[in-house]
Amino acid sequence: MDEKLSKKLRILADAAKYDASCSSSGAPKRKADVDGLGSTVGTGICHAYTPDGRCVSLLKILLTNYCLFDCAYCVNRRSSNVKRAKFSVDEVVTLTIEFYKRNYIEGLFLSSGIIRSPDYTMEQMILVAKKLRRDHGFRGYIHLKTIPEASPWLIEEAGLWADRLSINLELPTEQSLERLAPEKDGASIETAMAQMFERIEEAREERRHFSPAGQTTQMIVGADETTDADVLRTSAKLYGHYAMKRVYYSAFSPIPDSSAILPLKSPPLMRESRLYQADWLLRYYGFDVDEIAASGERGMLDLDIDPKLAWALKNRHRFPVDVNRAEREMLLRVPGLGARAVDKIVVARKHTTLRLEDVARLTSGLKRAKPFLITADHHPKARLDQLNLRERLIEKPEQLSLFA
Amino acid sequence: MNLRRITLKNGADLDGFRKAVRWLIAEELAPQHVVFAIDDAPGLFGDEQAGDAAPVSLPKGVARLIEQVVCHHDPERYALLYQLVWRVLNGERDLLEVASDPLVHRIDLTARSVRRDLHKMHAFVRFRRLKGDNLERFAAWFEPEHFILEAAASFFIDRFRSMDWAILTPIGSMRWDRAMLIFGPPASREDAPGEDSFEEGWRGYYESVFNPARVNPTAMRAEMPKKYWRNLPETAAIPGLIQTAAQRVERMIEQEATMPAKRTPERALEAMWDQEPKSLKELNAIIAKAGPLVPGATQAVFGEGPAHAEIVFVGEQPGDQEDLQGRPFVGPAGKLLSKAMREAGIEREQAYLTNAVKHFKFEQRGHRRIHSKPTAGEVKHYRPWLMKELELVRPKLVVALGATAVLALSGKATPITRSRGRARFGAYEGYITVHPSYLLRLPDEATKREAYEAFLNDLRRIHDLAQADLDTGELPLAAE
């Protein structure tokens, strides 16, 4: 591989890594044509993991990190002194194909700094996707970042070639956007999300290809003062209005040559992880934002225990729950029981009466579940009301950060 | 009772196990009377014994589980599976639903381990291009934990169908020559290429996507266990990345924000927001460059007429003739429209004619290209262009010819029969009538004549509306 290309790749991969999304899931199953290359599997594949524990699934790069925007949190803002580079359309196509042939990646995740104009930038990105699909018969995964400031017809085109589209909201409130991302505007972001949502739904009904893996977004956590409750409220709205497949949370992390107006500290990784757990509760466990928010203090989630456990400790009157009798909805609210474990419980108890050791085979979270659960041979009795229950259930902190 | 010894082949001997099960079930031998052994040369259990045993019918879930579990390297796998089969056939048909059962649980863990290994093989095989070879050929060395070579094959064929590749492992090898898959004997690491010209670039990519502020090797190892590392070219970078992470972050935090050098490129910023097409010509160039958003079409068919026409007519999509000539309304329906416009006193040359969808969507049937109605979603794909077109023409009146045009102009599907007449399309005064092709499709002359008269009446009103000063509300005809 050409050395100049290698150098550019380093710069433009480094510039893209603050986007948390790397998933290659949700595309319809495809196989390569006789002359083509590439396939998709439903859940996606992670081809490697970096020492930060994150998965490498797609070739996640920027077309260029030159940018006319000046978003304070962004390593690529125009006022930053980072090294700059720009790929040609053909260079991105070559890299994608050659990496794919060696089984390094599931496909391409292309984003870009804004050069010349939002339209020009978006056109170049679409051109990459089009060339991959049309000239190389590429059937692998393509995720395109949508530029909400670009003309609406470009979104219409992008979805025809991409498996997934995304616009990062980045900041959960309009005030923060104004302060930290002066060129961005919340209204145009939501207009573009709404446009994508409509087209995705229509195409699904009409069995046509338009961003079949839906759309996602990302919010940065810790760059502004927004509380967890407000972040989750924004998420709930995004899931509800635009059927987001995922809202990613990205702990604001120190960047090289950072802006003077932002906190320079270790990324709030535990906060990020709690937000993901809360997000799961919203989508799969029947919780609403207010319930989750009430489990913490002043709109912030409890960092020592997971939000479901925090909720249960504050709502002890709803427990204990009988594993052999309770409704699925209530079992989902038992700390330590995941949705899959609950499904297994509901099926298994049609044939047998569950004892504690049976439940132990269905979940790895028995320690957390035990004080809240009745089985054929176990009742927590007064233990549920012990004052030190929370302390006893705090997990030993894992090594999450260098700064801990 | 004596123990029955069943000997199966080394590896994932699915066929051998199936035969054994048929025979054992036919003989009504309970699991406690059977031992399974594994040998490269099975002899004690022969085909003749199983030959006439009837197939055993098992629930789908059990059959699928067997296929996975036989790939495991656990020597007890066959015994476990036979216990499962025995219980399923003896009164516990829904046994798999009892996930808490110790046997089901253990078999599930075994199957999961196989599935994980398979998944990791799909993920961690790294092809290297063979050197000194004009043809593009690839090979990879991989060490799976279980006997999953055959099970992994279809994934690689589906994905790399047009490539010539081989995967070599200590338990066997497979080669795909773009037409056929051939399994071969076990191989050794030296049989595969030791390097590839893209590996350095890949390693560079891997190093660059790592964020030192989030270092968490435990999480990495959970998903990418060390046993796989030696066959992954990128893992050579790991120790260095972990070692320098803390330092790199400290440097970032200590470093004061530097002064931006040249930071407000005002002219570039101004030019950035000046991206909208300023004329129909510029808009049409954008449409031409994008290519069709519907299947079919040889070229885009743009709107036609004076840049600031008073009336814009919007049809559905170009037809066969329009597609070939690259002009709107030149086919039979267009001719009928021209005739009616003339009779109603509208000069075609003074009106702007365009379509909701700019490309001819068709299905090829023999030599004929059959018009295919655009779906609602497809119409919407073209909508932003149509809206821009109207913005540039700024007409007094926008006429929707047929339901597709109404959908494109209003964003909503509305039946013509109910909405025919004056309308409002966003900022524009509008009028809804039928598409002229509808008149062509009517079966008998009488209805045709009647419908044509109604269409003509609409056009006369459209003519009058365009003449009137709509802003002052002075209307020649009463609005409905």
Side-chain angles (χ1 to χ4, degrees):
Chain A
M1 188 171 139
D2 176 53
E3 199 178 318
K4 251 171 71 189
L5 189 60
S6 258
K7 257 194 197 140
K8 279 195 209 177
L9 176 59
R10 278 177 175 271
I11 295 174
L12 293 168
D14 190 290
K17 73 180 170 203
Y18 299 96
D19 205 309
S21 150
C22 190
S23 142
S24 50
S25 63
K29 279 196 181 176
R30 291 191 298 257
K31 295 174 183 178
D33 261 352
V34 180
D35 308 318
L37 176 72
S39 61
T40 45
V41 294
T43 52
I45 296 174
C46 295
H47 285 269
Y49 292 82
T50 41
D52 45 21
R54 288 188 166 184
C55 118
V56 181
S57 179
L58 302 169
L59 172 63
K60 181 162 60 178
I61 46 175
L62 301 190
L63 190 58
T64 176
N65 65 338
Y66 287 102
C67 191
L68 285 166
F69 283 21
D70 204 26
C71 310
Y73 51 80
C74 182
V75 66
N76 306 310
R77 69 192 184 284
R78 66 167 188 261
S79 59
S80 152
N81 288 315
V82 291
K83 269 192 218 154
R84 307 279 174 171
K86 180 182 183 299
F87 279 132
S88 71
V89 166
D90 287 335
E91 282 171 337
V92 178
V93 170
T94 303
L95 272 177
T96 308
I97 295 293
E98 295 299 334
F99 276 17
Y100 197 89
K101 280 182 173 172
R102 285 156 181 80
N103 204 37
Y104 300 159
I105 52 169
E106 283 298 286
L108 175 68
F109 178 179
L110 188 61
S111 181
S112 182
I114 310 291
I115 44 165
R116 266 197 240 178
S117 70
D119 275 7
Y120 173 79
T121 312
M122 193 72 222
E123 281 164 14
Q124 297 290 300
M125 289 164 63
I126 293 172
L127 201 55
V128 169
K130 228 166 156 172
K131 281 204 166 185
L132 279 169
R133 295 275 195 240
R134 276 201 324 210
D135 303 351
H136 296 270
F138 181 68
R139 294 262 174 105
Y141 202 88
I142 299 180
H143 180 159
L144 288 183
K145 204 96 232 166
T146 312
I147 302 171
E149 294 79 13
S151 296
W153 49 79
L154 293 169
I155 290 180
E156 303 292 341
E157 219 190 318
L160 299 180
W161 308 104
D163 287 302
R164 174 166 282 175
L165 297 173
S166 65
I167 299 173
N168 285 357
L169 186 59
E170 302 294 18
L171 297 165
T173 68
E174 188 69 41
Q175 300 91 291
S176 293
L177 265 177
E178 252 168 57
R179 189 167 70 86
L180 300 175
E183 282 82 14
K184 292 198 182 194
D185 147 52
S188 57
I189 291 177
E190 293 215 20
T191 307
M193 285 176 172
Q195 186 188 350
M196 299 197 296
F197 163 68
E198 276 182 30
R199 289 307 94 73
I200 290 166
E201 295 289 301
E202 285 158 3
R204 185 165 301 146
E205 275 168 32
E206 295 166 4
R207 295 168 178 277
R208 290 185 304 111
H209 181 107
F210 188 91
S211 190
Q215 64 172 322
T216 61
T217 190
Q218 164 174 296
M219 279 187 273
I220 297 175
V221 181
D224 64 352
E225 298 306 310
T226 314
T227 61
D228 291 340
D230 284 336
V231 170
L232 290 170
R233 244 169 234 126
T234 304
S235 298
K237 186 182 86 179
L238 293 168
Y239 286 125
H241 290 192
Y242 311 119
M244 290 286 160
K245 284 283 168 197
R246 282 287 290 277
V247 174
Y248 289 92
Y249 306 95
S250 178
F252 181 66
S253 130
I255 48 175
D257 199 43
S258 60
S259 158
I261 60 170
L262 283 176
L264 257 181
K265 55 182 182 198
S266 59
L269 295 179
M270 186 47 92
R271 186 177 170 202
E272 178 192 282
S273 143
R274 294 293 178 230
L275 278 169
Y276 274 117
Q277 289 171 326
D279 183 279
W280 238 255
L281 295 185
L282 283 181
R283 289 189 292 152
Y284 303 116
Y285 289 81
F287 283 79
D288 66 42
V289 178
D290 291 330
E291 283 177 306
I292 298 169
S295 76
E297 299 295 335
R298 289 188 300 278
M300 298 303 276
L301 298 171
D302 192 330
L303 291 180
D304 293 332
I305 50 174
D306 71 81
K308 190 154 83 163
L309 178 55
W311 176 85
L313 286 168
K314 287 200 174 177
N315 292 277
R316 297 187 203 194
H317 59 280
R318 312 253 322 242
F319 296 96
V321 163
D322 189 337
V323 79
N324 287 301
R325 272 186 204 89
E327 304 247 332
R328 182 172 185 275
E329 288 66 33
M330 199 52 215
L331 283 175
L332 283 172
R333 290 183 171 244
V334 176
L337 291 188
R340 230 183 275 172
V342 168
D343 288 339
K344 284 182 182 170
I345 287 171
V346 171
V347 177
R349 71 188 185 182
K350 286 192 285 186
H351 306 281
T352 178
T353 306
L354 296 167
R355 304 164 64 85
L356 206 55
E357 59 178 6
D358 294 319
V359 180
R361 286 185 206 104
L362 302 178
T363 175
S364 55
L366 188 69
K367 188 189 164 207
R368 265 171 300 153
K370 226 171 130 180
F372 301 94
L373 215 54
I374 298 170
T375 65
D377 57 344
H378 164 82
H379 193 295
K381 298 204 178 112
R383 252 170 298 172
L384 180 55
D385 298 317
Q386 278 169 359
L387 289 175
N388 66 350
L389 186 55
R390 178 175 181 279
E391 276 58 49
R392 284 193 11 235
L393 291 173
I394 291 177
E395 292 162 76
K396 265 192 292 169
E398 284 172 59
Q399 191 208 350
L400 266 174
S401 123
L402 280 176
F403 314 94
Chain B
M1 188 173 172
N2 283 336
L3 282 181
R4 284 320 256 272
R5 190 181 157 88
I6 303 290
T7 308
L8 294 169
K9 270 191 290 189
N10 207 358
D13 190 2
L14 182 61
D15 283 344
F17 181 66
R18 267 197 198 126
K19 278 184 196 161
V21 167
R22 284 182 195 178
W23 183 74
L24 290 168
I25 294 296
E27 298 285 312
E28 293 180 35
L29 279 165
Q32 62 268 34
H33 303 303
V34 185
V35 283
F36 288 90
I38 290 162
D39 199 319
D40 270 332
L44 293 169
F45 173 75
D47 280 341
E48 67 285 353
Q49 286 167 302
D52 32 14
V56 173
S57 142
L58 291 168
K60 258 200 196 120
V62 176
R64 216 177 307 129
L65 213 48
I66 291 173
E67 282 172 25
Q68 292 169 5
V69 171
V70 294
C71 298
H72 203 282
H73 61 50
D74 182 355
E76 280 190 61
R77 62 190 180 276
Y78 297 116
L80 289 170
L81 285 173
Y82 187 57
Q83 282 179 49
L84 179 77
V85 170
W86 182 262
R87 284 176 61 187
V88 165
L89 294 178
N90 287 280
E92 292 180 88
R93 192 127 185 117
D94 296 325
L95 181 57
L96 283 190
E97 293 195 353
V98 192
S100 56
D101 181 274
L103 177 68
V104 175
H105 178 59
R106 171 145 183 214
I107 289 181
D108 182 51
L109 289 181
T110 313
R112 238 191 279 177
S113 168
V114 170
R115 287 200 300 268
R116 184 176 154 95
D117 197 32
L118 207 55
H119 187 76
K120 294 300 180 194
M121 180 167 175
H122 297 161
F124 296 154
V125 157
R126 295 285 181 264
F127 284 118
R128 287 171 164 160
R129 193 174 162 179
L130 268 62
K131 276 200 190 137
D133 200 354
N134 279 336
L135 296 165
E136 207 183 33
R137 293 199 295 161
F138 293 86
W141 167 251
F142 187 76
E143 294 167 286
E145 192 179 338
H146 303 298
F147 304 109
I148 54 169
L149 199 61
E150 282 88 348
S154 66
F155 169 86
F156 291 100
I157 296 172
D158 288 348
R159 177 157 293 200
F160 304 109
R161 184 173 294 278
S162 62
M163 260 165 58
D164 187 322
W165 53 261
I167 298 176
L168 314 175
T169 82
I171 54 161
S173 53
M174 56 181 171
R175 162 142 192 245
W176 170 257
D177 64 359
R178 291 194 270 178
M180 224 170 52
L181 185 74
I182 300 155
F183 287 99
S188 68
R189 183 189 307 272
E190 292 70 39
D191 299 331
E195 52 183 17
D196 183 280
S197 64
F198 273 84
E199 271 175 14
E200 210 188 300
W202 166 241
R203 204 149 39 225
Y205 173 75
Y206 177 82
E207 286 173 9
S208 306
V209 293
F210 164 63
N211 182 350
R214 304 179 60 106
V215 70
N216 186 358
T218 320
M220 167 184 65
R221 276 195 298 268
E223 294 297 341
M224 194 169 72
K226 262 191 152 163
K227 65 179 180 203
Y228 295 111
W229 287 17
R230 55 187 166 167
N231 297 322
L232 293 168
E234 62 272 22
T235 52
I238 292 174
L241 289 176
I242 296 176
Q243 245 167 41
T244 56
Q247 235 177 313
R248 284 169 68 191
V249 179
E250 266 167 45
R251 222 171 26 236
M252 282 189 268
I253 292 182
E254 277 166 16
Q255 198 182 45
E256 299 268 318
T258 46
M259 271 313 288
K262 166 197 152 210
R263 288 318 114 145
T264 321
E266 268 158 32
R267 276 171 57 197
L269 288 175
E270 225 170 89
M272 162 171 83
W273 295 123
D274 193 28
Q275 60 180 356
E276 297 272 299
K278 307 283 180 308
S279 64
L280 288 168
K281 201 175 150 207
E282 280 178 39
L283 176 66
N284 290 342
I286 290 170
I287 298 172
K289 207 164 72 181
L293 311 183
V294 289
T298 47
Q299 59 178 324
V301 177
F302 307 125
E304 201 178 87
H308 296 296
E310 295 204 317
I311 314 175
V312 167
F313 286 89
V314 181
E316 182 193 62
Q317 66 170 0
D320 183 62
Q321 286 298 310
E322 285 83 0
D323 179 66
L324 295 173
Q325 296 184 36
R327 294 185 53 206
F329 292 100
V330 292
K335 289 196 175 111
L336 185 62
L337 176 65
S338 298
K339 174 173 177 272
M341 282 168 89
R342 212 165 35 241
E343 286 174 34
I346 303 171
E347 277 183 67
R348 177 169 166 151
E349 291 67 32
Q350 293 307 308
Y352 184 90
L353 275 64
T354 192
N355 282 298
V357 169
K358 305 292 188 237
H359 293 94
F360 176 38
K361 183 186 175 190
F362 65 86
E363 272 174 53
Q364 192 80 42
R365 272 191 222 143
H367 290 299
R368 293 181 62 208
R369 307 195 299 170
I370 307 295
H371 164 277
S372 162
K373 189 175 153 63
T375 65
E378 285 166 339
V379 172
K380 302 266 189 79
H381 287 324
Y382 283 87
R383 198 164 180 250
W385 283 330
L386 180 65
M387 292 299 132
K388 193 74 202 171
E389 207 176 1
L390 293 180
E391 210 183 299
L392 291 166
V393 177
R394 279 185 286 115
K396 253 168 117 176
L397 187 67
V398 180
V399 180
L401 300 170
T404 301
V406 177
L407 171 66
L409 288 164
S410 68
K412 289 189 295 264
T414 327
I416 296 292
T417 41
R418 233 186 296 150
S419 54
R420 192 164 181 165
R422 287 191 68 184
R424 185 92 202 159
F425 300 126
Y428 303 97
E429 195 66 39
Y431 198 96
I432 295 173
T433 181
V434 295
H435 193 280
S437 66
Y438 159 77
L439 305 173
L440 294 172
R441 284 197 306 270
L442 288 172
D444 65 287
E445 282 309 310
T447 5
K448 225 175 215 171
R449 215 171 312 123
E450 206 177 305
Y452 183 75
E453 271 312 310
F455 185 56
L456 211 51
N457 270 332
D458 281 338
L459 288 178
R460 288 192 189 108
R461 290 190 61 201
I462 287 162
H463 171 72
D464 293 343
L465 278 168
Q467 297 283 309
D469 190 345
L470 292 166
D471 291 335
T472 60
E474 227 182 89
L475 296 173
L477 292 162
E480 43 280 70

